[in-house]
């Protein structure tokens, strides 16, 4: 069923289409338009400015030449940092440029047209940054405004030609950012980024080296990010083992940090060369201290965020501390030792050195037991590895000078099942969880675990867009943001249709991720899904309809953007669909084998065809851009490593005997209702609940408000029979640490208090994150007829996906 739509999509390559770029509203592409002409503009910087300004300016020169087709000879673009560019400082001193809101600001910039900036120069476009990153962001903002996507290299988003570009007169201000430190963590890179770098992009480095990291740094700057936690698995060379990497990061003005398990910028799996049992603060404190201090000495000159504390060698618990009092005593002593090193090698005012402590996994229990963390150290709160933030700052913690941050997963290797292949976390979930964290005071540092970066481009972009401008990104809304992203990266004329396809893609995969299409955990006995053949067929039909909707859209995308279409939309969409066909067709074969052999064998052929389709899609990815991404994507499971939390390779039915061919591909059937009993239409609920679109099985949930009581009411008419109600919740966490999700459901005025305990790591949690749902039954039987339903919650974190009714026996 997938192949026909694939061919339809790529028929676009045979028919050249007109191209329309997504330009900023302050850029006018009309010939002869008023404003400063950018065609052939000269980019001017000062020799004494930061290296990142020089690097960004050179990128802008290339971008202007690519878009306009003219290299130089036009108007001037002055780009510089306050205090580092004499010409710009003279403009400010003369009153020709207003820098009042820039002086002393963090990572802010202004882009403005200035008349007669100097003798002989009638007009210039001036980009001024409050600091070195602010200037670089301003330069890259102009590149983005003329149609050069931040993903121009990473997703082959070819800039579309614009023969006329004019900057409308005026001043455009940006910053400061909503979150001070914003970035990504490259993690679980074993199956994509590192082998690709070692064999295709940067051979001879054994993995990621300066050439690869330079591309990462440029991407971060174009996305207005400033922080990187580098790759840290055993397969990857330790970032700081090569001194050139740290120098390169400084040239790009990227703030380097390290993961929650890698204190003091150390990569333990690559750099701790002694016996692993000696990485023990209890029995080898001198050796451990010397190991940490070496990095403080070598990297003290660079802008960094220093991870404090200690865990095991690779994302494991701390050695040598058998009980809670010892763990707490060790960590408090470790804090003192590490801060003394920073005072010796960075600044005696150690409270001014950026430091972070992440109470992740078992470390959260130590913190809860009363661990004393220095007030100026940022507390980095993690999610539960599946996009649901476990803990939010308390009122007392919000008063700490170090503030709070969030470590958030968009990709994960771990229990109960990993998700490493396709990026299916809905942007609406990122918006809800990170927005709530921001409202509760977590605004110092946001880091997203993005796995291999590809194919998580959209989620990474949304996360960092939100971090840069929480109010603006929220006001735009997820649907409009996605439409704008599609316009920028694929085709402006098809953006609305692409956004709708992406919304349906996220909705379907939220029900069950492609990597979670097995209903048993590693080590358990295999079992089939709970879906009937009819229910599974309805799911597959929904996937197929979405792919068929892509056909005419893809046919209209111009050839220069076809590679981006494939990478950003077609591969993730097609691979997810094929993964579902492979599993559910194989299940249908097994269920039909004894009762309808021809139908069973047709399903077997469908499962095998879907498996071949995944291989064909991946092979097509390998061939893109003359093999640029060869070997980058590896369908899950890529190999037999980490079997305790990896998908089991699917068992496909045997080949179809001769004479029993699979059914011909046909357009997908219209939707059928296989849901069973009635459910309350959440759109009819009146009251103070927030409506969140783009989240949940139905694309809409009701959300409670942080630190506020919310009430809503609606009516439902139940058919004849006795009914039982179930409230389906998204498995978020309550505002208060360790509290259950609480709500009250009233049926015709009678109150039913409901609770959903939230304990990360137990069996109920595992089921909830795989299903993305907690079902809470209402302990009552309900007669047929019309009923008034009321719903109340008194804290944040309650996300109601559905209120369902089923016949009660």
């Amino acid at each position: 069923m997938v192949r026909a739509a694939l061919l339809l999509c790529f028929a676009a390559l045979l028919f050249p289409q007109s191209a329309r770029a997504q330009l900023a509203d302050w850029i006018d592409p009309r010939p002869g338009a008023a404003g400063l002409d950018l065609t052939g503009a000269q980019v001017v910087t000062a020799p004494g400015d930061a290296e990142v300004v020089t690097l960004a300016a050179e990128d802008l020169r290339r971008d202007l030449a690519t878009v306009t087709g003219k290299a130089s000879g036009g108007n001037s673009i002055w780009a510089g940092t306050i205090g580092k560019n004499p010409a710009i400082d003279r403009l400010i001193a003369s009153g020709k440029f207003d820098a009042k809101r820039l002086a002393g600001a963090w990572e802010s910039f202004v882009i403005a047209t200035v008349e007669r900036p100097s003798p002989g120069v009638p007009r210039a476009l001036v980009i001024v940054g409050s600091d070195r990153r602010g200037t670089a962001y301003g330069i890259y903002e102009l590149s983005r405004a003329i149609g050069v996507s931040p993903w121009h290299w990473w997703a082959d988003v070819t800039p579309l030609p614009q023969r006329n570009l004019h900057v409308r007169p005026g001043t455009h201000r940006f910053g400061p950012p909503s979150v001070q430190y914003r970035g990504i963590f490259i993690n679980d890179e074993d199956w994509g980024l590192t082998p690709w770098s070692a064999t295709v992009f940067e051979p001879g480095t054994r993995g990621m080296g300066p050439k690869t990291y330079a591309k990462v740094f440029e991407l971060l700057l174009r996305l207005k990010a400033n922080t990187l936690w580098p790759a840290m698995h055993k397969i990857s060379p330790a970032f700081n083992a090569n001194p050139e990497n740290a120098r390169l990061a400084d040239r790009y003005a990227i703030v380097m940090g390290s993961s929650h398990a890698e204190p003091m910028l150390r990569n333990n799996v690559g750099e701790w060369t002694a016996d692993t049992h000696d990485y023990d603060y209890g029995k080898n404190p001198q050796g451990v201290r010397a190991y940490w201090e070496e990095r403080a000495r070598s990297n003290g000159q660079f802008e960094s965020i220093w991870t404090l504390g200690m865990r095991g060698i690779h994302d494991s618990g701390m050695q040598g501390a058998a009980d809670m009092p010892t763990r707490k005593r060790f960590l408090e002593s470790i804090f003192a030792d590490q801060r003394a090193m920073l005072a010796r090698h960075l600044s005696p005012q150690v409270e001014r050195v950026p430091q972070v402590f992440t109470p992740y996994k078992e470390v959260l229990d130590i913190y809860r037991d009363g661990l004393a963390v220095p007030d100026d150290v940022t507390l980095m709160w993690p999610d539960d590895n599946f996009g649901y933030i476990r803990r939010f700052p308390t009122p007392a913690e919000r008063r700490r000078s170090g503030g709070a941050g969030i470590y958030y997963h968009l990709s994960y290797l771990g229990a109960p099942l990993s998700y490493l292949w396709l990026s299916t976390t809905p942007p609406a979930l990122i918006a809800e969880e990170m927005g709530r964290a921001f409202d509760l005071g977590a605004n110092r540092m946001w880091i997203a675990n993005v796995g291999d970066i590809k194919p998580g481009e959209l989620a990474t972009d949304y996360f960092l867009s939100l971090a840069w401008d929480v109010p603006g990104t929220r006001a735009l809304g997820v649907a409009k943001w996605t439409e704008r992203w599609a316009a920028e990266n694929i085709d402006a004329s098809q953006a609305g249709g692409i956004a709708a396809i992406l919304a349906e893609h996220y909705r379907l995969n939220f029900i069950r991720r492609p990597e979670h299409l097995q209903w048993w955990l590693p080590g358990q006995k295999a079992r089939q899904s709970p879906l009937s053949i009819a229910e599974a067929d309805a799911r597959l039909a929904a996937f197929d309809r979405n792919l068929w909707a892509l056909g005419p859209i893809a046919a209209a995308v111009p050839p220069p953007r076809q590679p981006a279409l494939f990478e950003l939309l077609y591969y993730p969409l097609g691979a997810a669909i094929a993964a579902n066909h492979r599993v559910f067709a194989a299940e249908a074969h097994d269920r039909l084998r004894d009762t309808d052999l021809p139908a069973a064998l047709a399903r077997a052929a469908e499962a095998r065809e879907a498996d071949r389709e995944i291989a064909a899609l991946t092979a097509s990815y390998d061939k893109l851009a003359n093999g640029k991404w060869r070997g980058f994507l590896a369908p899950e499971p890529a190999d037999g490593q980490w079997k305790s939390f990896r998908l089991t390779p699917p068992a496909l039915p045997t080949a179809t005997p001769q004479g029993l061919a699979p059914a011909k591909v046909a357009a997908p059937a219209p939707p059928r209702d296989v849901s069973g009993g009635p459910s309350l239409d959440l759109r009819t609920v009146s009251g103070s609940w927030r409506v969140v679109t783009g989240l949940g099985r139905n694309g809409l949930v009701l959300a409670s408000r942080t630190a506020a009581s919310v009430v809503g009411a609606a009516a439902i008419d139940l058919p004849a029979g006795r009914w039982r109600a179930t409230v389906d919740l998204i498995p978020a966490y309550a505002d208060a640490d360790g509290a259950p999700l609480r709500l009250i459901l009233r049926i015709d005025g009678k109150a039913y208090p409901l609770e959903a305990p939230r304990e990360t790591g137990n069996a109920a949690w595992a089921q909830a994150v795989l299903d993305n749902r907690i079902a809470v039954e209402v302990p009552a039987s309900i007669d047929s007829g019309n009923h008034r339903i009321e719903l109340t919650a008194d804290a944040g974190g309650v996300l109601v996906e559905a209120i369902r009714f089923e016949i009660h026996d």
Side-chain angles (χ1 to χ4, degrees):
M1 300 179 74
V2 182
R3 174 72 70 182
L6 282 170
L7 296 176
L8 177 62
C9 284
F10 282 91
L13 290 172
L14 303 177
F15 306 103
Q17 303 291 327
S18 60
R20 185 159 66 87
Q22 176 78 356
L23 306 178
D25 57 8
W26 44 276
I27 300 293
D28 194 331
R30 296 175 300 172
L36 186 141
D37 187 358
L38 289 175
T39 306
Q42 304 176 69
V43 183
V44 182
T45 61
D49 215 328
E51 283 191 83
V52 69
V53 174
T54 303
L55 291 167
E58 186 56 39
D59 285 341
L60 177 58
R61 292 184 188 102
R62 283 193 293 269
D63 293 345
L64 283 166
T66 299
V67 172
T68 67
K70 188 174 180 181
S72 62
N75 287 312
S76 294
I77 300 172
W78 294 10
T81 309
I82 291 177
K84 298 292 184 180
N85 186 305
I88 285 175
D89 290 343
R90 285 193 293 270
L91 276 182
I92 295 171
S94 68
K96 292 185 176 181
F97 186 91
D98 182 4
K100 291 186 181 68
R101 289 167 58 183
L102 279 181
W106 177 262
E107 296 182 347
S108 301
F109 61 94
V110 170
I111 301 176
T113 52
V114 176
E115 302 295 325
R116 296 181 296 279
S118 65
V121 180
R123 179 185 289 180
L125 182 67
V126 181
I127 303 172
V128 182
S130 62
D131 50 32
R132 60 177 183 161
R133 278 190 294 276
T135 306
Y137 294 155
I139 293 169
Y140 284 123
E141 183 67 25
L142 180 58
S143 282
R144 195 167 189 172
I146 65 172
V148 179
S149 166
W151 300 98
H152 74 100
W153 188 86
W154 279 94
D156 299 299
V157 182
T158 302
L160 301 176
Q162 298 289 331
R163 299 309 176 198
N164 299 281
L165 287 173
H166 301 83
V167 178
R168 292 188 170 98
T171 299
H172 311 279
R173 301 182 183 275
F174 300 81
S178 298
V179 178
Q180 185 176 8
Y181 294 105
R182 315 162 305 282
I184 64 173
F185 176 24
I186 295 171
N187 193 216
D188 308 322
E189 66 279 5
D190 307 51
W191 304 277
L193 192 53
T194 293
W196 166 83
S197 178
T199 60
V200 176
F201 189 63
E202 202 169 2
T205 60
R206 198 179 63 81
M208 294 183 69
K211 184 179 177 183
T212 305
Y213 276 113
K215 291 297 185 183
V216 175
F217 296 152
E218 180 196 332
L219 174 67
L220 291 176
L221 292 176
R222 287 183 183 266
L223 292 171
K224 299 190 190 71
N226 61 12
T227 305
L228 178 69
W229 291 0
M232 46 75 75
H233 274 212
K234 183 176 283 189
I235 193 174
S236 301
F239 180 85
N240 286 300
N242 181 354
E244 176 60 26
N245 285 335
R247 288 192 288 268
L248 184 71
D250 187 59
R251 290 184 66 209
Y252 278 90
I254 296 298
V255 184
M256 293 305 300
S258 54
S259 78
H260 56 89
E262 310 294 317
M264 300 297 286
L265 301 185
R266 277 296 197 176
N267 180 310
N268 293 331
V269 296
E271 294 188 305
W272 180 264
T273 56
D275 190 300
T276 56
H277 297 95
D278 291 336
Y279 191 64
D280 185 326
Y281 186 78
K283 74 174 187 179
N284 184 28
Q286 293 301 324
V288 171
R289 290 189 196 111
Y291 170 68
W292 290 333
E293 185 147 24
E294 180 185 349
R295 186 54 36 81
R297 188 182 298 112
S298 66
N299 284 51
Q301 61 185 304
F302 303 121
E303 192 176 4
S304 306
I305 300 173
W306 297 83
T307 296
L308 301 188
M310 186 178 190
R311 295 188 71 222
I313 287 290
H314 186 102
D315 201 5
S316 57
M318 181 171 52
Q319 297 186 87
D323 54 51
M324 187 62 73
T326 305
R327 296 186 193 107
K328 188 164 59 174
R329 177 169 53 84
F330 275 13
L331 277 178
E332 290 175 355
S333 180
I334 286 167
F335 291 156
D337 288 345
Q338 292 169 338
R339 286 164 66 82
M341 297 170 197
L342 298 177
R344 284 193 293 273
H345 299 290
L346 277 77
S347 170
Q349 294 178 298
V350 71
E351 66 278 1
R352 296 189 177 182
V353 178
Q355 301 155 69
V356 64
F357 173 66
T358 305
Y360 182 63
K361 293 188 176 179
E362 79 289 339
V363 183
L364 179 57
D365 293 330
I366 306 174
Y367 180 83
R368 286 168 169 163
D369 199 58
L371 177 70
V373 181
D375 189 74
D376 58 277
V377 174
T378 301
L379 292 175
M380 192 80 165
W381 300 112
D383 68 347
D384 66 347
N385 306 317
F386 290 83
Y388 303 105
I389 299 173
R390 294 181 61 181
R391 193 186 188 282
F392 300 88
T394 65
E397 289 162 349
R398 290 198 285 274
R399 293 190 291 270
R400 299 176 71 259
S401 62
I406 299 293
Y407 168 44
Y408 193 82
H409 286 77
L410 300 173
S411 173
Y412 181 60
L413 172 65
L417 280 173
S418 306
Y419 55 104
L420 300 168
W421 176 26
L422 303 176
S423 179
T424 53
T425 299
L429 181 62
I430 303 170
E432 183 64 24
E433 289 294 280
M434 297 307 299
R436 184 157 64 112
F438 183 83
D439 292 341
L440 289 170
N443 61 4
R444 181 61 57 87
M445 184 176 179
W446 287 10
I447 300 292
N449 184 325
V450 299
D452 288 314
I453 299 177
K454 297 173 71 63
E457 296 94 340
L458 187 150
T460 300
D461 202 332
Y462 184 80
F463 180 91
L464 293 174
S465 295
L466 192 66
W468 170 259
D469 182 7
V470 170
T473 306
R474 274 177 158 173
L476 189 62
V478 169
K480 284 295 182 183
W481 183 93
T482 305
E483 187 173 333
R484 189 178 68 178
W485 186 87
E488 179 179 46
N489 293 288
I490 301 176
D491 186 2
S493 64
Q494 302 297 319
I498 292 170
I501 287 171
L502 282 166
E504 179 69 353
H505 171 70
Y506 286 116
R507 185 188 74 83
L508 289 169
N509 287 292
F510 186 76
I511 298 171
R512 199 77 177 189
R513 293 182 189 266
E515 300 93 336
H516 297 165
L517 292 174
Q518 69 177 43
W519 274 258
W520 72 95
L521 298 182
Q524 295 180 346
K525 183 179 179 181
R527 65 176 182 272
Q528 291 188 329
S529 76
L531 277 65
S532 68
I533 291 178
E535 288 169 332
D537 283 349
R539 174 174 172 83
L540 295 178
F543 270 114
D544 290 343
R545 285 192 299 274
N546 207 33
L547 186 62
W548 276 75
L550 179 57
I553 289 173
V557 173
R561 287 291 176 86
Q562 286 289 329
L565 169 73
F566 185 87
E567 294 173 46
L568 298 175
L569 186 60
Y570 201 76
Y571 182 90
L573 198 72
I577 291 168
N580 277 266
H581 273 278
R582 179 174 66 180
V583 167
F584 291 113
E587 278 196 355
H589 164 270
D590 294 346
R591 289 170 171 170
L592 293 168
R593 180 87 188 188
D594 293 337
T595 58
D596 189 342
L597 183 58
L601 293 175
R603 295 298 184 111
E606 180 186 344
R608 292 194 305 278
E609 173 59 24
D611 190 61
R612 287 191 292 269
E613 194 59 58
I614 293 170
L617 281 165
T618 307
S620 295
Y621 212 120
D622 287 346
K623 296 174 184 175
L624 283 172
N626 297 317
K628 177 181 177 180
W629 302 114
R630 178 169 46 85
F632 199 105
L633 286 191
E636 181 73 356
D639 52 33
Q641 297 186 80
W642 309 93
K643 286 185 177 181
S644 60
F645 31 75
R646 299 287 292 282
L647 186 76
T648 303
L652 299 176
T654 56
T656 306
Q658 278 190 320
L660 287 173
K664 292 183 179 180
V665 173
R672 291 181 296 132
D673 185 7
V674 293
S675 59
S679 62
L680 184 70
D681 186 349
L682 296 183
R683 294 171 297 180
T684 66
V685 175
S686 60
S688 52
W689 286 83
R690 288 186 299 113
V691 175
V692 178
T693 57
L695 187 58
R697 282 161 173 72
N698 303 308
L700 181 148
V701 302
L702 299 181
S704 62
R705 300 177 187 272
T706 295
S709 180
V710 295
V711 180
I716 190 168
D717 191 10
L718 296 175
R722 298 277 289 171
W723 299 88
R724 163 116 353 137
T726 299
V727 179
D728 291 334
L729 303 176
I730 304 295
Y733 289 76
D735 288 348
D737 183 25
L741 296 172
R742 292 191 178 97
L743 65 159
I744 297 173
L745 182 72
R746 289 183 174 85
I747 303 175
D748 300 328
K750 184 174 182 180
Y752 298 96
L754 305 176
E755 277 195 2
R758 303 294 289 118
E759 182 182 340
T760 308
N762 65 10
W765 166 83
Q767 190 66 51
V769 296
L770 294 176
D771 290 342
N772 281 313
R773 179 171 69 180
I774 301 173
V776 184
E777 289 190 2
V778 179
S781 294
I782 309 162
D783 292 330
S784 60
N786 193 273
H787 299 276
R788 178 178 172 83
I789 307 295
E790 297 174 86
L791 197 62
T792 303
D794 292 324
V798 179
L799 300 172
V800 179
E801 182 186 69
I803 302 176
R804 298 180 286 117
F805 296 86
E806 297 174 332
I807 286 290
H808 179 43
D809 295 332

